[in-house]
Amino acid sequence: MSFRSYFPRSPHLRVVRPWALSGPVIVLLLAVPLLRPLRHPDPRGINDDELSRLATVQAMVENRTLAIDGTVFGTSRRVVEVGGLHYSDQPPVMALLLSGPYWVMYHAGMTFEHNPLWVMFLLTLIGVTLPVALAAGLIYKMGRLFELRRPLRAVLGLAVVLGSGLIAYATTLNAHAPAATLLLASAASLFQASQIRPKVSRGLWIAVAGFSAALAATLDPAALVFAALLVFVVAALRLSLADRGGAVLIYLAGAALPLALHAMLNLPVTGDLRPGYLHAELKADSIAAAGARAGRRGSAAARSATRLATAQPMPTSAANAITSSAVLPSSNSRFDEEDDEPQTLFQRSVHSLARIWAAFFGAHGMLSHFPVLLIGMMGVGMVMHRHWHPSTKVLAAVTLAGGLIVLLTVSLSQIEWREAMFATRWFVVFLPLVLFWSGAWLRRSHPPAVWAVAGLLFSFSAAVSLLGATGAAPRGGFDRYTAAAAFSNLLNPPPPEPEPAMLAGAH
């Protein structure tokens, strides 16, 4: 039967599902105009995480190495030094994934030196914005779990992206947003595996779940908590004991490939599986590292800066800032300053409790930015008190348990809150999954006053998320309530960092 003759016999066949596409399309319409290369093209405003990741992408494609010496973005302060060479301190798998699109651009004549803004725009769109749009589609698909109608499932998908802060990180190059999408993909795969009977198909979905969760962990180490806990969801599938054991092995086999890839890339740099930022002994001094790299590059750096200066539409006065950003004073310290005198046990306990409180309600707090997450937590409780499938209950419990582990780890690690950027970037990986469970609340009837309160919580959370999308990760981060700071930056953009006089007029 020909392709053309198929359609008359299937008049009700849905070639396009408008409700399924509505969420991703709206996300793209909101996020694309706010992408960082469009709104903030000045290279002096690029944060160090993005600089180091871009440097690794360029090094992989142009120099076939992970060492960022000799790259245009090689002056990032997020570097480690090994054997006299400098590397990004970020996990390397995301840079490897982005190197594929850049390889195509590079061989088409579109490079960081000649078309920096277009290259950064396309890499951000491919690596971050499209995965976030896909997350809205995944939530729509997973909404079948709550037996919601298509319009409500579409609303749920869009609400999760807007209300959890995920869209705030859809506009800048980062690993947290794609990791969150991969975690959703893993949960969706497990849900699909619980709905089908054929063993081969079920095994494939379980392998995809393991692959997605492990790949998320290679991008954002916070996802490793969920990759481990999802094993309990696999073990809770309604299968025989032998089949459950086989399902766990299939999940682990699917997770092995991304973890092996991370090991292959990371071991030569740090000597173990931990990324560079967890190796304080390898941390390179930013000024010394910049000077060493500048000496090795010689006149090549000046030529690169000149090309950046003439590339349109990059401002001429900002062209040399990429190669001089490391000489600017760093405002991001990895750890808090230690007190001169050791603290007592009581003082340490109070300090830890204060940081945990700040993680919930502080200037970078989870609920002070996205209070609609309370409805997601209520949804988890509703799932626990109803006759849901055991694997569904375990997945809901894993969501809260994993989120709490990440939150406590970040709070008690003494990380400087300024590094958290907008809200807390390390929480992005689990917030969409938490808000997904609001579907259990959405399927029930509520008084009008309750709906009004829920609408206010969502409206506030969505407004805050969109504020963050205008500049989620500025250079230097945020040192006060980030929604207010983002609004202030939107009304009165801060002036760019002054260009060092020693490099002014470089040719």
Side-chain angles (χ1 to χ4, degrees):
M1 183 172 60
S2 66
F3 180 78
R4 179 178 298 179
S5 63
Y6 178 76
F7 287 94
R9 300 186 184 185
S10 304
H12 301 293
L13 179 66
R14 291 181 176 271
V15 179
V16 176
R17 295 185 177 273
W19 286 113
L21 293 175
S22 60
V25 169
I26 293 174
V27 169
L28 290 175
L29 290 176
L30 292 173
V32 171
L34 299 177
L35 289 187
R36 199 276 310 157
L38 294 180
R39 282 192 50 81
H40 306 287
D42 193 330
R44 291 171 291 183
I46 305 177
N47 68 79
D48 287 307
D49 281 358
E50 186 172 349
L51 281 174
S52 65
R53 189 164 283 114
L54 291 171
T56 306
V57 171
Q58 184 184 13
M60 283 184 169
V61 173
E62 298 182 13
N63 303 331
R64 298 184 180 182
T65 178
L66 289 173
I68 62 176
D69 302 271
T71 63
V72 174
F73 303 97
T75 52
S76 169
R77 292 169 288 198
R78 299 298 301 270
V79 296
V80 294
E81 185 173 2
V82 178
L85 298 176
H86 297 87
Y87 301 85
S88 168
D89 67 354
Q90 303 297 305
V93 172
M94 185 173 182
L96 177 65
L97 297 177
L98 292 174
S99 65
Y102 181 58
W103 183 89
V104 175
M105 298 179 207
Y106 180 77
H107 286 83
M110 186 179 294
T111 68
F112 280 117
E113 292 189 2
H114 297 94
N115 311 94
L117 291 183
W118 270 112
V119 172
M120 289 186 284
F121 173 83
L122 292 174
L123 289 181
T124 305
L125 178 67
I126 295 170
V128 180
T129 312
L130 290 178
V132 171
L134 177 62
L138 286 172
I139 295 295
Y140 173 87
K141 186 71 174 178
M142 294 168 64
R144 296 172 56 192
L145 174 68
F146 307 116
E147 300 177 351
L148 299 173
R149 294 174 297 173
R150 288 190 179 93
L152 283 179
R153 285 158 53 190
V155 168
L156 178 63
L158 185 61
V160 167
V161 174
L162 295 181
S164 67
L166 183 58
I167 195 170
Y169 283 88
T171 60
T172 183
L173 192 63
N174 68 94
H176 312 292
T181 299
L182 285 168
L183 191 60
L184 289 172
S186 180
S189 299
L190 291 178
F191 168 67
Q192 186 70 15
S194 68
Q195 302 297 310
I196 57 180
R197 293 181 177 273
K199 289 186 177 182
V200 175
S201 299
R202 184 172 60 227
L204 288 175
W205 281 112
I206 293 173
V208 169
F211 179 88
S212 300
L215 185 58
T218 62
L219 303 184
D220 184 354
L224 184 62
V225 175
F226 295 91
L229 291 178
L230 286 177
V231 174
F232 296 100
V233 180
V234 178
L237 293 174
R238 193 173 293 172
L239 304 171
S240 65
L241 185 61
D243 287 343
R244 289 183 186 183
V248 171
L249 292 178
I250 292 173
Y251 176 87
L252 296 177
L257 180 60
L259 296 178
L261 180 62
H262 170 79
M264 181 182 68
L265 295 173
N266 202 73
L267 281 173
V269 177
T270 66
D272 55 31
L273 297 180
R274 292 179 297 160
Y277 65 80
L278 294 178
H279 286 269
E281 73 280 3
L282 300 178
K283 185 67 177 178
D285 178 79
S286 58
I287 299 178
R293 286 192 294 276
R296 280 191 289 271
R297 287 197 303 271
S299 60
R303 290 196 299 270
S304 298
T306 302
R307 294 190 188 100
L308 287 170
T310 57
Q312 296 297 328
M314 180 173 286
T316 304
S317 62
N320 292 332
I322 290 180
T323 54
S324 63
S325 59
V327 302
L328 299 176
S330 174
S331 59
N332 290 349
S333 58
R334 175 62 51 178
F335 300 100
D336 293 328
E337 294 288 342
E338 295 185 358
D339 295 332
D340 294 333
E341 298 181 1
Q343 294 181 330
T344 64
L345 177 61
F346 176 77
Q347 290 174 325
R348 291 197 300 269
S349 300
V350 170
H351 180 67
S352 298
L353 290 175
R355 287 183 61 87
I356 294 173
W357 174 267
F360 279 101
F361 303 104
H364 289 267
M366 180 176 66
L367 296 179
S368 61
H369 287 78
F370 316 116
V372 73
L373 291 170
L374 291 172
I375 298 180
M377 298 175 189
M378 292 171 58
V380 172
M382 292 177 179
V383 169
M384 293 300 181
H385 287 86
R386 292 178 62 87
H387 299 293
W388 295 86
H389 193 285
S391 61
T392 302
K393 290 186 175 183
V394 175
L395 180 58
V398 161
T399 300
L400 288 189
L404 185 60
I405 292 172
V406 173
L407 186 145
L408 292 177
T409 301
V410 171
S411 301
L412 301 180
S413 64
Q414 304 303 305
I415 292 175
E416 174 59 49
W417 282 118
R418 179 187 289 268
E419 288 192 28
M421 296 296 172
F422 183 78
T424 303
R425 58 190 174 97
W426 303 293
F427 298 165
V428 172
V429 68
F430 67 85
L431 294 185
L433 191 56
V434 172
L435 191 53
F436 160 74
W437 296 105
S438 62
W441 182 90
L442 190 63
R443 73 194 298 266
R444 299 181 61 179
S445 59
H446 304 281
V450 175
W451 283 109
V453 172
L456 288 175
L457 293 178
F458 169 73
S459 299
F460 178 84
S461 302
V464 167
S465 297
L466 291 174
L467 278 176
T470 62
R475 190 171 182 85
F478 295 95
D479 58 359
R480 57 192 176 102
Y481 180 55
T482 63
F487 183 68
S488 176
N489 291 341
L490 181 63
L491 295 180
N492 301 296
E497 295 283 354
E499 189 174 350
M502 58 181 292
L503 293 176
H507 297 292

